[in-house]
Amino acid sequence: MSLLALSFTLLFVMITMLVSVWQKLGLERDIAIGTIRSAVQLLLVGYVLQFVFNTKNVLLIALIVLFMLTIACLNAAKRGAGLRGIVWRVAAAIGTTELLMMGLLIGFGIIDATAQYIIPISGMTIGNAMVVAGLFLNQMKQEVEASKGEIEVLLSLGSNAKQAMAGVTKRAVKSSMIPTIDGMKTVGLVQLPGMMTGMIIAGANPIDAVRYQILIVFAFASSAAVTSIILSLLSYRLWFTKDLRIQIPEQKG
Amino acid sequence: MIPILQLENIKKNRRAEESTPLFAGVNAEVAEPDSIALLGVSGQGKSTLLRIMSLLDAPDGGEIRLHNNPQAEMDPRQWRMNVCYVAQQAVMLPGTIDDNIKTASLLHGKPFDREHAERLRERLGLGGLDPAKKASELSGGEKQRVSLLRSLMLRPQVLLLDEVTASLDQASKQKVEDVLLERHREEGTTLIWVTHDLEQALQVSRTVWFMAEGTLLEKGGTESFFQHPATDAGLKYIRASGSGE
């Protein structure tokens, strides 16, 4: 796509702006910021990737993956604001998921150990794990509040934290995985996934594109499971005080 | 002799913005197995005091001890297995009646005493129910009795009973009282009843703890409390409740 063609896409921004002005949505400023940020961020990433793909420096790849991880963890941990040390627990869950995924993909020779594969697939894995971790923490908060009676019954009968939370964490793990699993069921029928669309537009054979998409869908399913189970194991105790009373973090704002 | 349970200067604040505490200076001791009625008008913090005794709520001051062991030094699980709270709102755990009754043995990896459970089921008037029935489908009164049975299976030394007969008809209430008093007599289980039913308090308790004026105002024998309450608040309470002399 030529730069001229790219600049014509600003038409879409104009349409959005016009709708905002016409309907008095007051979103013009946000749209402008969003437009500039997305353009700058993506262009920057493009140049960074081009550079990284050329250098083949392992350290640089690791650095980029680490950067993605950091952003993802900080973002997901917001859903668990108020829980002590939740960022590190989210980092352990997402980090383990990423290591496991890459280990399997590279170990079995499913993908080549090059930046061209590792970075985009890591991005998708970490991104999905971030969404799952956020959903899990959100769900936990709701479950703990809704099931306070159930948890206290178990505590009253002398249960430990893990026993008291067994039902709650199970339900939260399940509901954090549902969007990913539902996505698996409708993929290709309702929408063509972004990666596959991109590959096809860039000229790849659709069958090739589909193969990679299948890889991604399956990897997402297991990364969702791994992330939310690890996070549940690492975080269930945070809902209790040291002497085993329920504590629900105060909602800020 | 080492007392079973001691409350020393227990204080509980209301929400942060209010200045007067819910209660303060609560001192009490269960020296030997007893059946205690914890009385007082609504809003005195009777349930909260029970929840503090079962470590579900933290006091804002003071100390509780079990067999002279301070709460802070004990494993909360051990404590709760000995001092078991039965909530006013019976919450059923997911699963069947049987699942609920077996909870204590499952949690602690102990064999399930089926015979004991069956006997209690009969005596509490739950014998006619299919044990495989979903607990969530039970009536309020049935849930209350299943919840009590679930706690009795733990054989705690102290049972904290938060209006556990409130949603029961006269016959079921009688059954529950009989079972609990038998436990008290035969196994030396201490019963602490929160109740608004003064008839019941007279029948089931030997001791009264009366909460008023933001503290545990009176402690004494049940009969003497009802006949000669030591404070005006006590007298007013008995008169208002309509069963005093």
Side-chain angles (χ1 to χ4, degrees):
Chain A
M1 191 167 29
S2 69
L3 274 177
L4 183 67
L6 182 62
S7 59
F8 281 138
T9 56
L10 282 172
L11 266 173
F12 295 118
V13 179
M14 295 247 324
I15 294 172
T16 324
M17 283 279 198
L18 283 176
V19 169
S20 175
V21 172
W22 176 43
Q23 289 290 318
K24 300 194 174 67
L25 300 179
L27 289 173
E28 297 87 323
R29 203 181 117 87
D30 286 314
I31 295 169
I33 294 174
T35 305
I36 296 167
R37 276 193 63 162
S38 57
V40 171
Q41 281 165 210
L42 287 174
L43 284 172
L44 220 63
V45 166
Y47 287 117
V48 169
L49 289 182
Q50 196 176 32
F51 174 71
V52 175
F53 289 174
N54 291 336
T55 61
K56 291 186 178 133
N57 186 335
V58 181
L59 209 70
L60 207 57
I61 299 176
L63 209 69
I64 288 178
V65 171
L66 207 66
F67 176 76
M68 292 173 173
L69 255 175
T70 311
I71 303 286
C73 293
L74 291 175
N75 208 353
K78 278 187 203 153
R79 303 267 166 225
L83 292 171
R84 269 173 299 113
I86 191 66
V87 179
W88 297 110
R89 288 168 169 87
V90 171
I94 301 183
T96 312
T97 307
E98 159 72 2
L99 280 177
L100 188 76
M101 286 303 127
M102 286 303 127
L104 288 176
L105 290 173
I106 295 169
F108 282 107
I110 302 171
I111 60 167
D112 294 336
T114 58
Q116 188 194 340
Y117 289 98
I118 292 177
I119 290 175
I121 293 179
S122 290
M124 284 192 276
T125 308
I126 293 171
N128 188 55
M130 171 184 84
V131 172
V132 170
L135 277 175
F136 172 79
L137 290 173
N138 219 13
Q139 196 61 34
M140 277 300 278
K141 204 171 268 181
Q142 287 175 20
E143 274 287 341
V144 171
E145 269 163 26
S147 309
K148 201 164 173 248
E150 181 187 326
I151 299 169
E152 287 195 338
V153 164
L154 289 161
L155 290 178
S156 298
L157 295 170
S159 77
N160 59 30
K162 195 171 185 178
Q163 290 168 325
M165 291 292 266
V168 167
T169 44
K170 191 170 136 194
R171 293 194 288 273
V173 165
K174 201 168 152 185
S175 62
S176 72
M177 285 177 63
I178 283 175
T180 308
I181 293 170
D182 279 353
M184 276 176 94
K185 292 182 194 157
T186 56
V187 68
L189 299 178
V190 180
Q191 57 163 356
L192 294 180
M195 186 196 76
M196 196 173 113
T197 316
M199 280 178 75
I200 294 173
I201 290 173
N205 175 348
I207 301 298
D208 253 358
V210 162
R211 282 188 188 151
Y212 279 104
Q213 192 58 50
I214 289 175
L215 161 82
I216 291 298
V217 169
F218 290 179
F220 273 15
S222 74
S223 79
V226 172
T227 305
S228 70
I229 284 169
I230 293 181
L231 190 54
S232 76
L233 289 174
L234 292 178
S235 69
Y236 72 87
R237 190 65 179 81
L238 300 179
W239 300 92
F240 296 92
T241 60
K242 208 168 91 243
D243 53 0
L244 219 56
R245 297 175 227 263
I246 300 179
Q247 61 172 359
I248 298 172
E250 297 277 320
Q251 203 80 22
K252 279 180 217 154
Chain B
M1 208 173 90
I2 295 173
I4 301 169
L5 195 66
Q6 286 160 286
L7 306 180
E8 220 163 71
N9 225 355
I10 301 295
K11 178 181 171 192
K12 184 72 187 174
N13 292 331
R14 295 171 203 266
R15 288 172 185 279
E17 56 275 16
E18 292 171 70
S19 53
T20 54
L22 179 61
F23 52 73
V26 170
N27 290 293
E29 185 178 286
V30 181
E32 53 185 24
D34 199 353
S35 180
I36 299 161
L38 179 52
L39 303 177
V41 293
S42 297
Q44 291 295 318
K46 302 185 295 293
S47 292
T48 306
L49 188 59
L50 286 195
R51 288 174 57 86
I52 288 175
M53 285 191 254
S54 60
L55 313 188
L56 292 174
D57 280 344
D60 292 304
E63 189 178 70
I64 43 177
R65 285 196 293 272
L66 183 65
H67 299 300
N68 223 10
N69 298 309
Q71 176 257 317
E73 289 169 22
M74 269 188 81
D75 181 345
R77 289 178 297 163
Q78 284 300 323
W79 181 290
R80 292 187 183 125
M81 285 167 74
N82 285 309
V83 184
C84 182
Y85 174 71
V86 186
Q88 182 179 358
Q89 284 291 336
V91 175
M92 292 291 99
L93 299 171
T96 63
I97 299 178
D98 221 26
D99 292 335
N100 270 273
I101 296 174
K102 284 178 180 163
T103 308
S105 73
L106 276 176
L107 286 176
H108 306 297
K110 288 184 185 148
F112 177 60
D113 186 350
R114 181 163 292 282
E115 202 185 314
H116 179 59
E118 282 307 311
R119 206 168 53 241
L120 283 172
R121 236 158 57 80
E122 286 298 329
R123 298 227 21 215
L124 289 169
L126 298 166
L129 289 173
D130 177 6
K133 188 174 176 176
K134 269 196 165 170
S136 56
E137 288 167 5
L138 298 177
S139 73
E142 288 165 344
K143 281 182 185 167
Q144 193 129 48
R145 280 171 288 161
V146 169
S147 140
L148 186 66
L149 170 47
R150 191 172 58 193
S151 299
L152 283 169
M153 292 304 291
L154 196 63
R155 293 184 181 277
Q157 292 175 21
V158 181
L159 264 169
L160 307 170
L161 306 160
D162 198 350
E163 296 193 52
V164 290
T165 58
S167 56
L168 300 182
D169 58 53
Q170 195 56 40
S172 306
K173 190 175 119 188
Q174 189 63 50
K175 284 177 182 158
V176 167
E177 289 173 1
D178 289 347
V179 167
L180 288 167
L181 288 175
E182 187 184 283
R183 240 331 149 81
H184 167 59
R185 275 194 310 273
E186 290 180 359
E187 300 187 20
T189 308
T190 292
L191 308 172
I192 302 182
W193 311 70
V194 165
T195 178
H196 287 288
D197 177 349
L198 296 198
E199 285 296 322
Q200 182 179 47
L202 265 166
Q203 269 167 29
V204 301
S205 72
R206 277 194 299 163
T207 304
V208 164
W209 290 356
F210 174 63
M211 287 184 90
E213 298 169 8
T215 189
L216 191 54
L217 199 61
E218 285 195 47
K219 284 161 288 186
T222 302
E223 278 195 17
S224 80
F225 174 76
F226 279 102
Q227 280 165 11
H228 321 284
T231 59
D232 284 348
L235 189 66
K236 234 189 242 167
Y237 173 73
I238 295 168
R239 286 208 176 134
S241 306
S243 58
E245 283 125 309

